[in-house]
Structures are given as C-alpha cells and as structure tokens.
Amino acid sequence: MTQTSSRSNTVRMLCEGGLMVVLAQILSYIKLWEMPWGGSICLAMLPIFLFSVRWGLGSGLLAGFVFGVLQFMFDGGFAIGWQSIIGDYLLAFTVLGLAGLFRGKKYGIFLGTVVGSAARFLVHYVVGATIWAEYMPEEFFGMTMTTPWFYSLLYNGFYMVIDMALCLLIFAILYKPMNKYLTGADLR
C-alpha cells in the first residue's frame, strides 16, 4: 500500500467515522421509548456497529467514545456524579466499538452487534447496581425490588435487548443487498 493510498484510507475512515457518529447522535433523538432515569429504545447504536465492523477495533472504540461524549453533552446527561458520567456515557458507548473485533468476518455485523450490545449492557448493569442503587424503587415492572442487581438487570436489560434486536433485524434485512458494505469488503 502506498503512502498516498494509506492517507486516502485514513481520510475516508475519518470522514465515515464522523458521519456515523453524527448519524448515531441524530438517531438517538428518535426514541421509541425512554426510561425514566436514562436509557431508551432507539437505533443510535446501529451506525457505530456498522463503522466498527467496517474499520476495526481501534477506530470503532474511538467512534464509540466520541458518541459517548456527545450523548452526555446533548442528550440530557442523566448522571449523578463523575462515576456515572464515566460509566454510563464514556465507557458504555466506547465498548460499542468492540464490534470491530469482527472486522472482515462473514457474519461479523451480527456477532459485533451482539458483543457490543452485551458489553454496553454489562457496563450499564454494573453502574446501575452500584452507583444508581440508592434510586431503586420499591416496585418495578410490577415486581417488588429487593436487590439493586436485579433491578439493574431489569431496567437496563429491557431497553438493551430491544435495541440489540432492532439492530440485528435491520442488519438482517440489509445483509443481502448491502453485504459488501456491512462486511467492509468495499474497503479491501
């Protein structure tokens, strides 16, 4: 690969990354459901997963981090201190980039979506059960809450499973007609 080709690829990656982060931010405003203390059902993770699988782990983690910063700045910032800012925004959205581990894999977009979603859920789960524990209601989804770990599982699992399923569904619909873009084959 020549220096010009490498520079061209870097510029392409940065432009695509910027567009995907902006698209993710726009999609984050189109909420199908919003939880009372943050978290919502929307398609915001979709562009970050796509970018991560196309460009790889490092680029994906960076895009997720930038998206996390934007989420904190512009999405109302549900945080109760620096720990929840780091956990619920910076770390939780950065780990979406773990989808980049599946770059170049045949079904990488699906595996990446599951791994990125699971990683984000785990971050929110731990933050919810530790930092947000004092805000646990006595009853949630018609069940008596006795432990913040169960409450965090229900709270964060509710919207994260639906978000992941929506992303997987859209990628499944687009997989055949847009395969080379979903797998990053157009970049090779």
Side-chain angles (χ1 to χ4, degrees):
M1 184 179 285
T2 66
Q3 186 177 4
T4 305
S5 175
S6 175
R7 192 174 335 183
S8 175
N9 252 0
T10 301
V11 169
R12 182 175 178 179
M13 183 269 300
L14 289 170
C15 289
E16 192 174 309
L19 288 171
M20 290 298 175
V21 168
V22 167
L23 181 58
Q25 186 65 28
I26 290 167
L27 288 172
S28 77
Y29 296 128
I30 305 168
K31 298 175 179 170
L32 304 173
W33 176 267
E34 188 169 14
M35 300 295 282
W37 292 100
S40 60
I41 297 171
C42 66
L43 296 174
M45 297 188 303
L46 194 118
I48 304 300
F49 290 145
L50 176 59
F51 177 76
S52 299
V53 170
R54 288 176 53 76
W55 291 97
L57 181 64
S59 300
L61 291 171
L62 181 59
F65 177 79
V66 171
F67 179 50
V69 170
L70 292 176
Q71 282 292 284
F72 175 70
M73 290 173 57
F74 298 114
D75 197 38
F78 283 104
I80 55 171
W82 65 269
Q83 300 94 334
S84 81
I85 293 170
I86 290 171
D88 280 331
Y89 291 96
L90 303 182
L91 187 57
F93 289 101
T94 298
V95 298
L96 296 176
L98 291 174
L101 291 168
F102 301 95
R103 178 182 185 190
K105 307 286 190 253
K106 184 175 181 181
Y107 297 108
I109 195 72
F110 302 107
L111 296 170
T113 297
V114 170
V115 167
S117 296
R120 180 178 168 203
F121 164 76
L122 285 173
V123 172
H124 286 308
Y125 173 64
V126 171
V127 170
T130 55
I131 297 168
W132 288 92
E134 65 183 277
Y135 296 96
M136 180 181 77
E138 290 184 22
E139 189 174 289
F140 187 70
F141 285 151
M143 293 180 267
T144 302
M145 295 293 106
T146 57
T147 171
W149 293 97
F150 185 63
Y151 168 64
S152 185
L153 177 77
L154 290 176
Y155 186 99
N156 293 297
F158 174 74
Y159 68 89
M160 284 302 306
V161 167
I162 296 171
D163 277 357
M164 180 182 70
L166 287 172
C167 288
L168 289 171
L169 176 65
I170 290 171
F171 287 139
I173 291 168
L174 297 175
Y175 193 74
K176 190 170 183 177
M178 299 186 68
N179 185 301
K180 73 178 184 178
Y181 302 107
L182 296 178
T183 60
D186 64 314
L187 301 174
R188 294 181 267 256

